[in-house]
Amino acid sequence: MESLTVELGARSYPILIGDGLLEAIGGHVAPLLKRPRTMIVTDTHVADHYLRRVGVALGNEGVSFSSFVLEPGEATKSWAGLARLTEWLIGEGVERGDHVIALGGGVIGDLVGFACSIVKRGCNFIQVPTTLLAQVDSSVGGKTAINVPAGKNLIGAFHQPALVVIDPTTLATLPRRELGAGYAEVVKYGLIDDADFFAWCEANGAALLAGDSAARAYAIAHSVAAKARIVAADERETQDIRALLNLGHSFGHALEAETGYSDRLLHGEAVAAGMVLAHQFSAANGLCPVGDAERVRAHLASVDLPHSLASAGVNSDGATLAAHMAHDKKVRGGKLPLILTRGIGQSFVTEDYGLDAVAAFLDS
Ligand code: NAD
Ligand code: GLY
């Protein structure tokens, strides 16, 4: 088992990574509890595979639990989902000192985290991520949210978990397409500031996606360590450090909006195409070598991720796509900070480029 810490002073917390950790989870959770009781929140897909396993592991340590199983999918991360969950937690007699377990992907993690930030003015929660995306990104860092009709993740809070438990063997049941979407976020860490890790992805990405457990373990530990470092340096995204985690997200956001935030394009798939566009836009503006942009495109294409507007299933014009970007929640003072790059592993935040320039690029 590997262990690392997100260093946030009094709110620091461990991330445990290891094959089979679900079977041992009771031993890691029990010492945190003020009373030997917890509540598990999950979705039906994950419950079918893992709820019983986690329950047995808790029982082995004398921890009783109740569980709430939600519908899978983005629609659960909503006002209605939040109301159902918070009312259930209150009905279960949740106390401020309790720890609620979020067992699932980013949808469950974001929803449970937000519910725990507000129920009884805040209780603790534990992230047990079961998708690659959640294991390398969303379970760490304390961004919690629900979606509202005006946009995704617009209502939320920073609320750090007390513990993150990652068992990579859960990826064995994850559909290949979801695995690919999570892999885009792995590649992102290389592109942000770690050219060697991008080269590792080029060499090992296909094996990781095919099920190589050593490659998965390495990628998860490396990605999570990068995320932990970034969150520790800029927890609330005020210093243009955590913002780098949004590489590919502004372009990707436009693609997701244009495809209706639907199964037509998963978030990680949009990020993949968005990262290629961010590199190509950087190259078109003389910031980044054309060859680097082509390497990024070629690698994502080689693992069947969207790597262009066409492969993302979008044929809208630049103005339409740029208009979506104008509604991005990252807009500050009317300007959208873009994450661009000087080359692989050399990303930076800039407000030097207007959406008219982005629209013209997307039409080119
Ligand atoms: P998800 O939670 O919807 O999970 C994807 C699908 O996989 C679901 O159908 C789920 O039931 C199923 N699933 C989960 N684990 C499984 C397993 N081990 N075996 C079989 N099926 C399994 O999607 P996601 O990609 O994990 O998360 C997407 C969400 O994460 C979005 O709402 C996004 O906004 C959010 N997000 C948050 C952050 C953050 O920092 N908080 C970062 C990135 C993304
Ligand atoms: N996934 C982006 C962040 O955590 O900041």
Side-chain angles (χ1 to χ4, degrees), residues 199-242:
W200 182 91
C201 289
E202 289 178 306
N204 297 283
L208 181 162
L209 289 163
D212 182 318
S213 55
R216 284 182 182 182
Y218 178 78
I220 292 168
H222 196 88
S223 301
V224 153
K227 176 110 192 214
R229 245 187 343 263
I230 291 171
V231 168
D234 183 15
E235 183 186 9
R236 296 206 164 214
E237 207 168 306
T238 53
Q239 297 168 59
D240 281 357
I241 301 172
R242 188 165 182 167

Side-chain angles (χ1 to χ4, degrees), residues 107-260:
V107 162
I108 291 297
D110 280 14
L111 175 70
V112 172
F114 187 40
C116 291
S117 78
I118 55 175
V119 75
K120 299 207 170 160
R121 298 208 174 90
C123 69
N124 308 296
F125 78 116
I126 294 170
Q127 290 271 22
V128 186
T130 61
T131 63
L132 183 58
L133 182 140
Q135 294 181 351
V136 300
D137 187 354
S138 64
S139 64
V140 173
K143 277 190 182 175
T144 74
I146 57 167
N147 307 320
V148 289
K152 266 193 73 178
N153 295 325
L154 289 187
I155 304 289
F158 285 97
H159 187 51
Q160 299 292 345
L163 170 69
V164 181
V165 179
I166 301 174
D167 181 345
T169 66
T170 56
L171 301 181
T173 53
L174 191 66
R176 169 60 178 81
R177 193 173 166 207
E178 297 288 352
L179 200 60
Y183 179 68
E185 304 278 8
V186 171
V187 172
K188 186 182 74 179
Y189 292 108
L191 297 178
I192 288 174
D193 65 357
D194 190 347
D196 287 347
F197 186 56
F198 179 73
W200 182 91
C201 289
E202 289 178 306
N204 297 283
L208 181 162
L209 289 163
D212 182 318
S213 55
R216 284 182 182 182
Y218 178 78
I220 292 168
H222 196 88
S223 301
V224 153
K227 176 110 192 214
R229 245 187 343 263
I230 291 171
V231 168
D234 183 15
E235 183 186 9
R236 296 206 164 214
E237 207 168 306
T238 53
Q239 297 168 59
D240 281 357
I241 301 172
R242 188 165 182 167
L244 295 175
L245 291 169
N246 296 325
L247 175 63
H249 284 57
S250 293
F251 288 98
H253 168 77
L255 305 181
E256 280 183 285
E258 199 55 15
T259 48

